[in-house]
């Protein structure tokens, strides 16, 4: 069984309630309805027209990418506590001023400028506090080289942040399918509910199958089925793994493309392709029909 060529980073939960609220407001723009979980291998790059520049709440939207931002600030400031304070300064500014007319280009470029400013503001804050307390202060050396738009470290953190969000989106799709399966089994399916189609196969393992194959590359379908069965707490056959894996791969790629499109001002197919290439995410789309 060929494994999906997708990195599975350590997942992390959202650390701010407003971030979850913003995700709900935007209807999880990367998500697909349960009825779209089919065996299609087609990925539409410019499927969504929503971008970061049109977000109603700048602070709420930016919190979606808290993980890569925090990692970079920790490198710049050399302290997690200082990184958290710098993030608070940045988010507070976004709450008050929004994008301040700078909502252009790529979100990651906009953020890196904000992160640099927030890091400097944090150092100034520490210095002012020390002076008021009559304490000595040794100037902090900031690692601003890593806080540049094209720095390898920032691009790496940004890439992993996008993948984390895509994995969580895939997990939500799996949960939605399991809810549909439960309704079918319990006879609760409403014929008028367009989101629930009783005669379609249930694809309630897309996240778990994808995760197990990514984490245990090279194992047989039978072994993967056993691992997935432990997570799903039900019997899972090798045939079921083989059926749901290509669905999971195409869905993951679509969710990733949608997530990337959100971070671009002009999210046309060419721009999305360029960002996929820049971030080294081409393997996620390997073997799939990628269309504009």
């Amino acid at each position: 069984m060929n494994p999906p060529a997708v990195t599975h980073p350590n997942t992390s939960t959202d650390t701010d309630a407003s971030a979850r609220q913003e995700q709900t407001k935007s209807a999880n723009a990367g998500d697909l309805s349960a009825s779209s979980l089919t065996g299609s291998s087609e990925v539409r790059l410019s499927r969504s027209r929503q971008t970061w520049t049109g977000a109603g709440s700048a602070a709420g939207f930016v919190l979606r990418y808290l993980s890569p931002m925090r990692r970079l600030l920790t490198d710049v400031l050399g302290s997690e506590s200082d990184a958290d304070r710098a993030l608070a300064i940045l988010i507070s500014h976004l709450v008050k001023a929004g994008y301040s007319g700078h909502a252009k280009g790529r979100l990651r470029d906009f953020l890196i400028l904000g992160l640099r400013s927030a890091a400097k503001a944090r150092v100034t804050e520490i210095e002012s506090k020390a002076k008021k307390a009559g304490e000595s202060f040794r100037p902090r050396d900031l690692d601003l080289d890593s806080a540049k738009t094209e720095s390898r470290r920032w691009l790496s953190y940004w890439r992993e942040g996008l993948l984390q969000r895509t994995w969580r989106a895939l997990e939500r799709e799996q949960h939605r399918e399991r809810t549909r399966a439960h309704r079918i089994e319990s006879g609760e399916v409403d014929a008028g509910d367009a989101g629930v189609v009783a005669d379609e196969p249930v694809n309630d393992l897309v996240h778990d199958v994808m995760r197990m194959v990514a984490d245990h590359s090279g194992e047989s379908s039978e072994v993967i089925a056993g691992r997935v069965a432990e997570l799903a707490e039900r019997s899972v056959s090798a045939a079921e793994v083989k059926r749901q894996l290509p669905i999971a791969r195409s869905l993951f790629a679509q969710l990733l493309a949608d997530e990337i499109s959100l971070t671009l001002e002009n999210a046309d197919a060419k721009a999305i392709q360029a960002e996929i290439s820049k971030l080294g995410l081409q393997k996620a789309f390997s073997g799939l029909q990628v269309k504009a």
Side-chain angles (χ1 to χ4, degrees):
M1 178 176 59
N2 295 325
V6 177
T7 303
H8 174 53
N10 293 328
T11 57
S12 60
T13 56
D14 292 334
T15 56
D16 193 288
S18 62
R20 292 189 293 271
Q21 293 171 359
E22 183 66 22
Q23 292 169 15
T24 301
K25 289 178 183 178
S26 65
N28 295 317
D31 292 357
L32 302 172
S33 65
S35 61
S36 66
L37 287 176
T38 67
S40 173
S41 60
E42 181 178 293
V43 176
R44 291 282 183 179
L45 291 181
S46 53
R47 188 179 66 159
S48 173
R49 293 185 178 181
Q50 182 183 1
T51 66
W52 70 280
T53 58
S57 167
F61 191 88
V62 164
L63 281 171
R64 297 161 64 101
Y65 307 97
L66 196 62
S67 176
M69 293 164 61
R70 186 176 188 272
R71 293 179 68 184
L72 187 77
L73 279 174
T74 299
D75 290 344
V76 171
L77 291 163
S79 163
E80 290 186 353
S81 60
D82 286 336
D84 289 340
R85 175 56 191 155
L87 273 175
I89 292 172
L90 175 58
I91 297 303
S92 177
H93 170 76
L94 289 172
V95 168
K96 296 176 182 177
Y99 294 128
S100 303
H102 300 292
K104 298 179 180 179
R106 296 176 299 211
L107 175 60
R108 61 178 171 87
D109 292 344
F110 168 83
L111 288 179
I112 203 66
L113 297 177
L115 293 172
R116 289 172 65 93
S117 296
K120 293 175 181 178
R122 173 53 181 161
V123 171
T124 299
E125 188 177 68
I126 294 172
E127 183 177 11
S128 298
K129 185 177 180 181
K131 287 182 178 179
K132 287 182 180 180
E135 301 173 349
S136 60
F137 174 81
R138 185 170 62 184
R140 182 79 64 89
D141 292 328
L142 299 180
D143 179 16
L144 292 177
D145 285 340
S146 62
K148 294 180 179 178
T149 55
E150 300 300 317
S151 78
R152 294 180 64 180
R153 190 178 303 179
W154 173 236
L155 292 178
S156 175
Y157 291 165
W158 187 252
R159 175 183 184 275
E160 291 178 21
L162 292 175
L163 287 172
Q164 285 178 357
R165 287 193 56 79
T166 303
W167 279 106
R168 289 198 291 270
L170 186 65
E171 190 170 25
R172 287 193 295 271
E173 291 304 326
Q174 175 174 278
H175 176 72
R176 190 169 295 142
E177 277 288 280
R178 287 186 178 174
T179 299
R180 182 172 78 91
H182 174 74
R183 294 185 64 186
I184 292 173
E185 292 175 359
S186 62
E188 298 176 4
V189 174
D190 183 352
D193 187 349
V196 180
V197 182
D199 59 356
E200 287 186 356
V202 175
N203 300 309
D204 64 333
L205 301 174
V206 287
H207 173 272
D208 292 350
V209 166
M210 187 80 165
R211 190 181 74 182
M212 288 299 99
V213 173
D215 288 350
H216 304 280
S217 176
E219 291 188 342
S220 68
S221 299
E222 288 75 14
V223 174
I224 293 296
R227 294 184 182 278
V228 173
E230 292 182 10
L231 294 175
E233 298 183 342
R234 70 170 176 80
S235 61
V236 177
S237 67
E240 195 168 11
V241 168
K242 291 179 179 179
R243 183 183 68 79
Q244 294 203 37
L245 179 57
I247 296 170
R249 289 195 68 242
S250 60
L251 179 56
F252 186 96
Q254 183 66 71
L255 293 169
L256 180 57
D258 290 346
E259 187 66 38
I260 291 172
S261 73
L262 288 173
T263 70
L264 305 175
E265 179 187 10
N266 298 312
D268 57 25
K270 184 176 180 180
I272 296 171
Q273 278 280 30
E275 190 71 349
I276 288 171
S277 178
K278 183 68 177 181
L279 297 174
L281 293 167
Q282 301 96 319
K283 288 185 178 180
F285 301 86
S286 177
L288 300 173
Q289 300 177 44
V290 180
K291 298 184 178 181

